[in-house]
Amino acid sequence: MDVVDLTFLAFCLPFLGALVAPLLTRLLGHNAAWILALVPVAIFAHFAGFADAISKGEVITGGYAWVPSLHVTFSWLIDGLSLTFLLLISGIGALIVLYAGGYLKGHPHQGRFFSFLLLFMGSMLGVVASDNLLMLFVFWELTSITSFLLIGFDHHREAARRAAFQALVVTGGGGLFLLAGLLLLWNVSGVAAFSALLPLAPMIKASPFYLAVLILVLGGAFTKSAQFPFHFWLPNAMEAPTPVSAYLHSATMVKAGVYLLMRLNPVLGGTTEWQVILPVFGAATLVIGALLAVRQTDLKLMLAYTTMASLGLLVLLTGLGAPHAIEAAVLYLVAHSLFKGALFMVAGIIDHETGTRDITRLSGLRRAMPLTFVIALAAALSMGGLFPFFGFLAKEEIYAALLTGGAWSIVLAVLTIIGNALMATIAFALALKPFTGTVADTPRHAHEAPLPLWLGPAVLAVAGLAAAVFSDTLHASISSPMASAIAGETRAVAMSLAIHAGLPFALSILTIVLGIAVYLQLAQIRSAIGNALVAIGWGPDRGFDQAIRGLVRLSVAVTRRLQNGRLDTYMTVTFVLFALVLLVPPFLFGELASAPVFPGDVPLHEIAVIVIAVAGLVTVVLARDRLTAIVSLGIQGFSVAVIFLLYGAPDLAFTQFMIETLAVVILALVMTRLRLSPTDRRPFRETLPDAAIALACGLGVTLFLLKVTQAPFDTALTDFFNQYSKTIAHGANVVNVIIVDFRGTDTLGEIAVVMIAGLAILSLIRLRAGSLRRIADNDPDEPEAGR
């Protein structure tokens, strides 16, 4: 197999693994995780083979035609940005699969969980490698669907169902914005591939549709990456099992929006709008997320809100536009993936082995869980930005980027220091509170976790240290190519563990000092933030529930009004919309400026036919009994048939005559079951709206037909039928040939519709006849008229 086929197979492997996961779990139990983990390991190994070529500036592309008529291809673009994400998704994914094997050991639906997890992995791989705009959107929505399945995995709990529904609504709604933005970007640029967009960046930024594209794309990215005010779904997603939380926050879905912004930075970035919107929302998300994290006592919620804060920091750096900002975003993204994955798994270990995640009930676990304590401490030191871990390098680069601008950068630097200090506080709390102090009573007897549980966080914690120690190698193969792809130009990351005395290092020291100070007063500050939130009361999470309730009420009201079971309502709505479709566009687009006119040479006999039709219409409206109305109704159809006849269409005229004759006869026969003398007289206030709607529809159709007849007649179809009726269908009557041969399937469909309608009517007649017989059998004294 060549490289293209192997790469395609790598993208397919998670979906194939999802198919066999339930069977393997049924056969091997939780040990199936060791086999299923080979899927992401193989993917990691395949893409790691591209690292040397990518580090030299190459870009790997390939793919297959998917929907050629729509220019949709299953094509991939592997550069420094996508390669980093591919390695994080597959590498951390392998550890998460093993972790899930131990965490959900004995769960009756563990096989289903593995299947969902691998589907999620495959969807995320597709997002970060897609070169085609629509291919990216397909996988983007697959991540929303599969995350819905994972978050709501424990579907017997209402909280899990609500969290899954909320995540699907928010990210799915953002996906619709993204689809509109991608289609508009496609329309503006004329290309559907990311690899072809970069040369067109100046033209896209100069387009009058640039701002619309930007807002729509940001709508998709901000909802996916939980930017304020769309952040509320992310903490609620902690209702998912811990393996899902660890994977979701470290390498997958929540970083999809950040990935999209980084991917489009060379195309949409560098403008005033980009450099204002992203830092403002990113900074707000950073500070709000960090403050809400301090408020929490649940280990997973503390980590969830710090993820929200970290995503805000990444968005801020992506949009900053200052030197070193892209490099800082790259380093922090990698560092965050390593320490956040490890800390989430540590939180799961504590919950799994002690039975609680409440940090106020945990202490003294160091002796019972020494290995977990070391892992947690290493990951927390990286999260806090302490030497010598990779988080330290990221924090130094962040401050170097924020100190290269003017007053705006200073404001952002202050907000970043506050956010980083609060996240350092959470890191210290996670590493120290559960493990130090006196031993607390916990629901379960604490003990060290088995190998599948501690292996993953241990590998990530060690990786956070090794990445810093061997930073030169990492920068050459990962950081620099990734920064170059995001910037759209060659960038070299050079940050190392060597201490650079200066203002960035001083700000790092200040951050740590502030973090320690808040940690020492954590209980009081937590209480103060809680009181402030209680005083505020309303929040986006409550607003979501209110919006959903309002939507349900609105849908019920609309359904009750429009779907009320009354045929007259349905007909009224249908014809009102029909009239609006015909009349509104001509007024909006000035079509009436060149208003179609009635032909001035209408023959007298045609005018006579029209007068007869109008007379029949008036008779129908004013008829005092039903029989007169039925007979007068036929006048309309006969008048149309005469017009067909006058314009040389005898076959259509014959058909019209037959239809109208049968319609009048059938209606008359039906009415014989009723009294024909009464008429349905309605008050003027009821007939006036119907008359207005009828006139509007008639006017719209008239104007439309007159406009059509003014256009030059295209004879292409006529010439085709005239040319091929004899040679292909062997028929001299062109109309018959069209009906029987060229439109044979359509005619067969019409016949089928008539047959189905006849069978339905026959069934109703028999059903009614059977009902009447049962009534007669049950009540033999029932008078005949009542039957």
Side-chain angles (χ1 to χ4, degrees):
M1 298 177 69
D2 59 14
V3 175
V4 174
D5 292 335
L6 285 174
T7 303
F8 179 74
L9 179 61
F11 289 121
C12 294
L13 274 179
F15 300 99
L16 297 175
L19 290 176
V20 303
L23 177 61
L24 278 177
T25 307
R26 190 176 299 116
L27 295 175
L28 303 176
H30 69 281
N31 291 318
W34 294 96
I35 297 177
L36 294 174
L38 295 177
V39 170
V41 167
I43 296 171
F44 181 89
H46 174 74
F47 289 118
F50 294 154
D52 183 59
I54 298 297
S55 65
K56 296 176 181 177
E58 297 184 24
V59 176
I60 311 297
T61 59
Y64 305 93
W66 191 358
V67 188
S69 60
L70 298 178
H71 305 287
V72 178
T73 59
F74 188 93
S75 55
W76 49 84
L77 168 66
I78 302 176
D79 56 6
L81 173 60
S82 52
L83 178 65
T84 302
F85 272 92
L86 289 170
L87 295 178
L88 289 174
I89 293 166
S90 56
I92 297 178
L95 300 175
I96 293 294
V97 171
L98 291 176
Y99 183 83
Y103 190 86
L104 294 174
K105 180 180 179 180
H107 196 288
H109 301 299
Q110 190 176 36
R112 186 181 68 183
F113 180 85
F114 283 136
S115 184
F116 291 165
L117 189 65
L118 290 170
L119 287 174
F120 184 56
M121 182 188 301
S123 303
M124 194 64 201
L125 290 172
V127 167
V128 300
S130 296
D131 189 26
N132 186 272
L133 299 179
L134 292 186
M135 176 182 164
L136 176 135
F137 173 74
V138 169
F139 284 109
W140 185 278
E141 291 302 283
L142 278 177
T143 61
S144 294
I145 295 170
T146 50
S147 65
F148 167 80
L149 297 174
L150 287 168
I151 295 170
F153 180 71
D154 294 328
H155 54 270
H156 59 279
R157 295 190 297 110
E158 182 181 357
R161 297 195 302 271
R162 177 184 180 271
F165 171 75
Q166 188 180 70
L168 182 64
V169 170
V170 175
T171 60
L176 296 179
F177 278 93
L178 177 62
L179 176 61
L182 293 179
L183 292 177
L184 188 57
L185 179 60
W186 187 357
N187 182 266
V188 170
S189 64
V191 298
F194 286 105
S195 55
L197 284 175
L198 184 57
L200 304 175
M203 181 267 290
I204 295 172
K205 295 174 186 177
S207 169
F209 298 104
Y210 168 77
L211 185 59
V213 171
L214 177 62
I215 291 174
L216 291 170
V217 169
L218 292 182
F222 282 6
T223 52
K224 204 75 158 185
S225 286
Q227 296 301 289
F228 178 83
F230 308 108
H231 64 279
F232 50 88
W233 72 266
L234 184 59
N236 291 334
M238 294 305 96
E239 295 295 337
T242 300
V244 177
S245 303
Y247 201 31
L248 195 77
H249 287 249
S250 60
T252 53
M253 181 170 157
V254 297
K255 285 194 173 73
V258 172
Y259 164 81
L260 182 64
L261 295 177
M262 290 179 169
R263 172 61 69 199
L264 291 176
N265 179 67
V267 180
L268 302 179
T271 64
T272 302
E273 296 87 347
W274 179 274
Q275 294 178 356
V276 170
I277 296 175
L278 268 65
V280 166
F281 279 89
T285 306
L286 166 63
V287 175
I288 293 172
L291 287 172
L292 292 176
V294 174
R295 166 69 179 86
Q296 307 304 316
T297 59
D298 184 289
L299 294 177
K300 285 178 63 175
L301 284 177
M302 294 167 70
L303 289 169
Y305 279 108
T306 57
T307 296
M308 170 187 159
S310 298
L311 294 171
L313 181 56
L314 288 170
V315 170
L316 184 157
L317 294 170
T318 303
L320 187 59
H324 304 291
I326 296 300
E327 292 86 336
V330 168
L331 296 183
Y332 189 73
L333 186 143
V334 175
H336 178 267
S337 297
L338 298 177
F339 68 67
K340 190 54 65 73
L343 288 174
F344 259 110
M345 285 190 268
V346 166
I349 290 173
I350 294 173
D351 184 25
H352 192 270
E353 305 305 330
T354 66
T356 181
R357 298 196 306 259
D358 189 344
I359 198 171
T360 63
R361 300 178 60 188
L362 295 167
S363 63
L365 296 178
R366 180 179 56 184
R367 294 180 180 178
M369 307 172 69
L371 181 58
T372 304
F373 171 60
V374 173
I375 295 171
L377 185 61
L381 291 174
S382 184
M383 179 177 172
L386 271 70
F387 185 89
F389 291 88
F390 200 63
F392 170 78
L393 300 185
K395 184 159 57 61
E396 290 286 293
E397 194 77 61
I398 290 170
Y399 291 144
L402 290 169
L403 294 175
T404 56
W408 176 234
S409 295
I410 294 175
V411 172
L412 294 178
V414 171
L415 295 176
T416 302
I417 291 171
I418 295 172
N420 281 340
L422 294 176
M423 285 195 286
T425 298
I426 299 301
F428 299 146
L430 291 169
L432 300 177
K433 288 283 187 182
F435 297 98
T436 59
T438 59
V439 178
D441 291 331
T442 55
R444 297 176 190 163
H445 176 67
H447 56 84
E448 195 58 83
L451 174 64
L453 288 177
W454 62 257
L455 179 61
V459 170
L460 295 179
V462 172
L465 177 60
V469 173
F470 303 101
S471 58
D472 292 340
T473 302
L474 181 72
H475 293 337
S477 57
I478 297 295
S479 306
S480 294
M482 183 179 179
S484 300
I486 298 171
E489 61 186 20
T490 302
R491 294 284 182 92
V493 181
M495 182 63 66
S496 66
L497 283 178
I499 302 297
H500 301 279
L503 191 53
F505 183 70
L507 294 181
S508 294
I509 299 299
L510 175 61
T511 301
I512 301 303
V513 171
L514 289 176
I516 294 174
V518 176
Y519 172 77
L520 295 176
Q521 302 295 322
L522 183 59
Q524 294 85 343
I525 295 176
R526 179 188 297 135
S527 177
I529 296 175
N531 293 334
L533 292 176
V534 171
I536 295 173
W538 188 91
D541 190 37
R542 183 180 300 179
F544 173 83
D545 291 335
Q546 293 170 341
I548 293 299
R549 285 196 296 269
L551 182 63
V552 171
R553 292 193 185 100
L554 177 62
S555 63
V556 170
V558 171
T559 303
R560 186 181 295 119
R561 184 73 180 90
L562 299 182
Q563 301 290 334
N564 55 7
R566 291 179 58 88
L567 182 60
D568 58 337
T569 301
Y570 300 159
M571 296 295 290
T572 300
V573 172
T574 300
F575 282 107
V576 166
L577 292 177
F578 181 66
L580 291 175
V581 168
L582 291 174
L583 292 177
V584 171
F587 284 98
L588 289 180
F589 298 102
E591 289 292 326
L592 295 181
S594 57
V597 296
F598 290 92
D601 56 346
V602 180
L604 181 61
H605 58 277
E606 293 182 8
I607 296 177
V609 173
I610 295 174
V611 170
I612 293 173
V614 173
L617 176 63
V618 174
T619 306
V620 172
V621 174
L622 300 178
R624 295 185 174 277
D625 60 82
R626 292 174 178 147
L627 183 59
T628 303
I630 292 171
V631 174
S632 301
L633 187 63
I635 297 175
Q636 319 304 312
F638 285 120
S639 300
V640 174
V642 171
I643 293 175
F644 287 155
L645 193 61
L646 292 175
Y647 277 85
D651 49 349
L652 292 179
F654 175 76
T655 304
Q656 187 71 23
F657 278 126
M658 293 296 297
I659 289 174
E660 291 302 323
T661 302
L662 288 173
V664 171
V665 171
I666 291 172
L667 282 173
L669 288 174
V670 170
M671 289 298 178
T672 58
R673 307 291 295 179
L674 305 171
R675 288 188 300 163
L676 295 177
S677 55
T679 183
D680 296 323
R681 308 298 298 177
R682 293 188 297 161
F684 181 73
R685 66 177 183 275
E686 294 183 6
T687 56
L688 181 60
D690 292 344
I693 294 171
L695 291 174
C697 291
L699 177 62
V701 172
T702 302
L703 293 175
F704 177 75
L705 291 177
L706 289 174
K707 188 67 178 180
V708 169
T709 56
Q710 284 186 336
F713 182 69
D714 187 357
T715 62
L717 198 57
T718 303
D719 296 338
F720 172 83
F721 287 133
N722 289 335
Q723 181 179 356
Y724 293 109
S725 289
K726 282 190 176 182
T727 57
I728 294 180
H730 308 289
N733 189 317
V734 177
V735 175
N736 289 348
V737 169
I738 292 173
I739 295 174
V740 176
D741 290 274
F742 292 113
R743 290 180 52 206
T745 305
D746 179 55
T747 305
L748 179 62
E750 294 172 354
I751 294 172
V753 170
V754 174
M755 181 185 69
I756 293 171
L759 292 174
I761 294 171
L762 180 62
S763 300
L764 291 174
I765 292 173
R766 290 185 174 180
L767 180 64
R768 177 169 176 78
S771 299
L772 291 175
R773 281 195 297 271
R774 285 193 296 272
I775 292 174
D777 293 340
N778 294 334
D779 191 2
D781 296 330
E782 182 73 18
E784 185 67 23
R787 296 181 186 179

